Amino acid sequence: MSHEEGIAFFSGGKDGLYAVHLAERKGIKVPYLLTLKTTIGISPHRENLGALETLAGAMGKELLTFDMGEGSEALAEFIGSLGVDYLIAGDVLLEDHLRWVERLAREASVTPFEPLWERDTGELAVEMLEAGFEYAMIAVNKEKLDREWLGYTFRSVRDLELFLDSNPSVDPIGEMGEFHTVILRAPLFQERFVLEVFSTEESERYYWVRFRLVRE
């Protein structure tokens, strides 16, 4: 019996990797992770590509890169060429992105798998932490959070509660772009990582860090 396979969008953040975790629990093998080179401004995730390579290696998955300068049609063609059954993403509330993933999947002749869609973000944050996911903030929206929160690590529900007590108007998973994360620990790999920060940077929208992941 052949196993169904998928490719997952991958930024190193918690939502996308939690979607991979749920896909694999459902029996979908995920050999490929896909990171995009964006055409719109600086991506704190993309700027730390070495960390994404570290995580992919820890999971024994192949990290593929696609330049969005080539356009969505070329991306759909690329996904279709891999012979996978699913396109996996961790969208929760952003309808435009969901529609884009669905359109890509249709054009690539694969099935979209969006297991986090329309989940309550508070419940989702607790669920991820209780499932063994740990993550740190690598970028914060300058209008929503102070730069002091860079590097803040969520290892437990208590860490989440402390963060939300201090920032009651911020979404628990940063779904409105308030912050971006990198995974430090997950059931998908054996190691536990810590953030080694090289420098703090500033873009038009974010404070963000250049870093690498070091095995604890």
Side-chain angles (χ1 to χ4, degrees):
M1 179 182 146
S2 65
H3 287 288
E4 290 188 304
E5 292 190 338
I7 183 170
F9 283 116
F10 176 65
S11 68
K14 63 193 179 327
D15 306 347
L17 262 192
Y18 192 57
V20 171
H21 172 66
L22 294 177
E24 293 198 334
R25 281 182 56 191
K26 195 179 158 70
I28 301 166
K29 192 170 182 293
V30 187
Y32 304 116
L33 301 173
L34 178 62
T35 183
L36 302 178
K37 183 180 178 191
T38 64
T39 52
I40 42 170
I42 281 177
S43 160
H45 294 289
R46 178 75 196 173
E47 293 294 318
N48 288 293
L49 188 60
L52 305 194
E53 290 166 348
T54 298
L55 286 172
M59 290 183 277
K61 299 184 186 304
E62 189 175 347
L63 183 63
L64 305 174
T65 303
F66 187 85
D67 187 341
M68 283 311 294
E70 295 181 40
S72 288
E73 205 172 296
L75 176 57
E77 203 172 301
F78 176 66
I79 292 166
S81 74
L82 295 169
V84 295
D85 308 286
Y86 291 93
L87 176 59
I88 299 154
D91 294 303
V92 184
L93 299 173
L94 300 178
E95 183 117 16
D96 287 353
H97 201 269
L98 175 83
R99 298 286 165 248
W100 179 70
V101 169
E102 289 175 337
R103 191 170 69 249
L104 265 181
R106 196 164 55 245
E107 290 172 5
S109 300
V110 299
T111 303
F113 185 69
E114 289 269 15
L116 312 188
W117 182 246
E118 291 191 324
R119 290 287 312 275
D120 175 278
T121 55
E123 288 175 12
L124 192 54
V126 170
E127 189 178 297
M128 285 189 223
L129 289 162
E130 289 183 341
F133 280 71
E134 298 177 6
Y135 48 92
M137 281 193 215
I138 59 161
V140 297
N141 185 315
K142 295 195 287 193
E143 291 178 7
K144 304 287 176 72
L145 284 165
D146 293 335
R147 66 197 297 165
E148 284 70 34
W149 287 101
L150 285 170
Y152 184 80
T153 300
F154 298 84
R155 293 198 190 276
S156 66
V157 175
R158 182 71 185 133
D159 294 327
L160 176 67
E161 290 167 350
L162 290 169
F163 172 70
L164 294 175
D165 284 348
S166 298
N167 303 284
S169 63
V170 170
D171 184 83
I173 61 168
E175 180 61 8
M176 296 304 137
E178 297 99 331
F179 61 89
H180 293 282
T181 61
V182 68
I183 284 285
L184 302 175
R185 191 184 191 196
L188 296 150
F189 52 86
Q190 300 299 315
E191 297 95 331
R192 180 189 236 153
F193 294 100
V194 290
L195 212 58
E196 186 178 292
V197 174
F198 299 132
S199 63
T200 300
E201 310 286 341
E202 186 175 349
S203 68
E204 195 178 326
R205 195 170 171 200
Y206 294 106
Y207 293 120
W208 58 280
V209 291
R210 290 191 190 278
F211 67 92
R212 69 176 182 144
L213 294 176
V214 181
R215 283 174 177 78
E216 195 171 69

